[in-house]
Amino acid sequence: MSEKNSLVNLMWSEKYRPKKLDDIVDQKEIKKGISRLIKDRDLPHMLFAGPAGVGKTTAALCVANEIFGEGWQNNDAIRDRVLQLNASDERGIKVVREKIKNHIQWSSSVGDKQATEIFKLIILDEADEMTSEAQTALRRMMEDGARTTRFIIICNYLSQIIEPIQSRCVVFRFTRLSKEDVVDHLKMICEKEKVKHDEKAISQIYDATGGDMRHSINIMQAAAGMGSVSTANVTAAVGLSGRSKVGEVLRLALSGKFNEARAKLLELTQVYGMSETDFMKYANQEAYDMKIEKPDEFASIMAEYDYRLAAGAHPDIQLAALLAQLGRLSK
Ligand SMILES: Nc1ncnc2c1ncn2[C@@H]1O[C@H](COP(=O)(O)OP(=O)(O)OP(=O)(O)O)[C@@H](O)[C@H]1O
Ligand SMILES: [Mg+2]
């Protein structure tokens, strides 16, 4: 086993990433739909949309496995047929564009020799991070490469993908996973890893992650690292993930303790590395779980700041202002 593989296997979420579509938990209609398209041989471009950690990237890799065979990543002749890219690549959209263009050009030359055979696959993750201008360029590249190259475009928010791309793809909407399915999957991992676990602790993991399998597995692995998957260890592991601190920030802000709330917030973003979008997402979920007093006003404040952040305003400044606004809610 290569060093990279052994490192990957240290993380259960990677080690237990399904290799076949059938092994993906839940998402039944999606699995059926994709399998049918693959069997038909005339694979269209596909667009996978949905929340974090529910199997989008996994499904795309499974499609590659189905088309090119499971060992493709270790097969020199085939590996290069799959291009996996992150649209929010910190090196910028230009790099992403160049890579896609090269891949398509190269694939056409290969395609000429074996005209009936597809193909190349481009898996483009986090496409909703692309500007609409960049998406327009992508749309053109999809057309240019259509004879030999298929795209799987992945995003969290379908609404952020321009209509011409949506209409060129078969769209699959992934959903949060059900409690029953996540619980079964987590238990299966515990059994394989020979880790002691109790039912209540596993159900508690689901409650903390709301159907995000990656997050569930990570919390479980952290708890197992403390000895066993018990409720005490899960509570500690959830705390470590920083998410539970979002509730604390909210409570402080809502009770008008601005300075304390802001200090906690900085700890979250700087020590735990939580992104501002994750903060907004968790704060939103927490608030409704907390049953806050004026949910309607809360909603419109959140929407305002969500918009400002999406428009590129400075996160530290905006989040501090958000806390100040929330403080006024209780008065
Ligand atoms: N439906 C699922 N069945 C089994 N395991 C899953 C499923 N969804 C996620 N996982 C686990 O979580 C890990 C991450 O999943 P994946 O990369 O597919 O998430 P994603 O939907 O692409 O999320 P993101 O939007 O954050 O990229 C996988 O390696 C796997 O272990
Ligand atoms: Mg993904």
Side-chain angles (χ1 to χ4, degrees), residues 158-321:
L158 193 57
S159 60
Q160 303 291 312
I161 301 292
I162 60 171
E163 213 285 326
I165 290 187
Q166 290 191 35
S167 68
R168 279 167 178 75
C169 295
V170 176
V171 177
F172 291 98
R173 292 169 194 265
F174 286 64
T175 51
R176 289 189 185 285
L177 305 172
S178 75
K179 182 159 188 171
E180 209 189 345
D181 286 324
V182 172
V183 165
D184 284 348
H185 193 68
L186 294 180
K187 279 195 208 153
M188 181 277 290
I189 294 177
C190 281
E191 272 148 32
K192 290 216 165 136
E193 294 292 331
K194 303 193 174 36
V195 171
K196 240 178 81 190
H197 57 282
D198 79 52
E199 188 87 20
K200 238 174 98 190
I202 290 191
S203 139
Q204 186 190 352
I205 294 176
Y206 182 89
D207 296 339
T209 62
D212 174 340
M213 185 73 95
R214 182 197 295 110
H215 196 192
S216 303
I217 296 175
N218 286 345
I219 286 178
M220 187 170 77
Q221 186 170 12
M226 301 173 198
S228 70
V229 182
S230 62
T231 49
N233 288 342
V234 166
T235 305
V238 171
L240 284 178
S241 78
R243 175 162 172 185
S244 63
K245 292 207 165 44
V246 173
E248 242 173 282
V249 175
L250 267 188
R251 264 182 287 274
L252 288 167
L254 288 167
S255 55
K257 296 183 178 142
F258 173 78
N259 286 327
E260 286 167 63
R262 183 160 172 274
K264 269 262 170 299
L265 172 70
L266 286 178
E267 181 186 330
L268 260 184
T269 53
Q270 285 167 18
V271 180
Y272 292 93
M274 182 176 285
S275 70
E276 66 274 9
T277 38
D278 277 350
F279 177 81
M280 294 297 285
K281 192 172 73 186
Y282 294 145
N284 206 39
Q285 287 165 4
E286 281 288 324
Y288 298 112
D289 292 348
M290 275 160 58
K291 304 210 169 27
I292 52 167
E293 249 169 65
K294 298 172 185 156
D296 49 342
E297 287 177 39
F298 176 82
S300 69
I301 295 177
M302 290 297 280
E304 162 81 32
Y305 283 88
D306 182 48
Y307 182 77
R308 292 189 195 180
L309 288 169
H314 194 294
D316 288 345
I317 296 174
Q318 292 304 325
L319 289 183

Side-chain angles (χ1 to χ4, degrees), residues 56-57 125 154 214:
K56 300 181 301 298
T57 302
D125 231 313
I154 304 179
R214 182 197 295 110

Side-chain angles (χ1 to χ4, degrees), residues 27-39:
Q27 319 290 15
K28 288 183 203 66
E29 289 308 312
I30 291 178
K31 290 188 285 190
K32 242 201 284 174
I34 299 176
S35 301
R36 202 178 307 129
L37 290 175
I38 292 177
K39 261 199 215 93

Side-chain angles (χ1 to χ4, degrees), residues 73-131:
Q73 271 153 324
N74 303 314
N75 181 332
D76 289 338
I78 299 182
R79 188 178 38 230
D80 291 344
R81 290 189 172 211
V82 181
L83 177 65
Q84 202 185 348
L85 281 174
N86 213 322
S88 62
D89 191 313
E90 67 283 4
R91 284 165 301 171
I93 194 64
K94 254 178 93 182
V95 177
V96 173
R97 241 191 260 190
E98 279 308 303
K99 281 193 177 163
I100 294 179
K101 232 161 95 189
N102 290 341
H103 197 69
I104 287 176
Q105 274 162 8
W106 174 62
S107 66
S108 326
S109 65
V110 176
D112 280 340
K113 283 180 229 136
Q114 336 169 321
T116 55
E117 202 198 351
I118 310 195
F119 341 180
K120 300 286 155 77
L121 194 61
I122 296 181
I123 300 172
L124 183 61
D125 231 313
E126 299 189 19
D128 44 358
E129 299 285 321
M130 298 169 87
T131 61

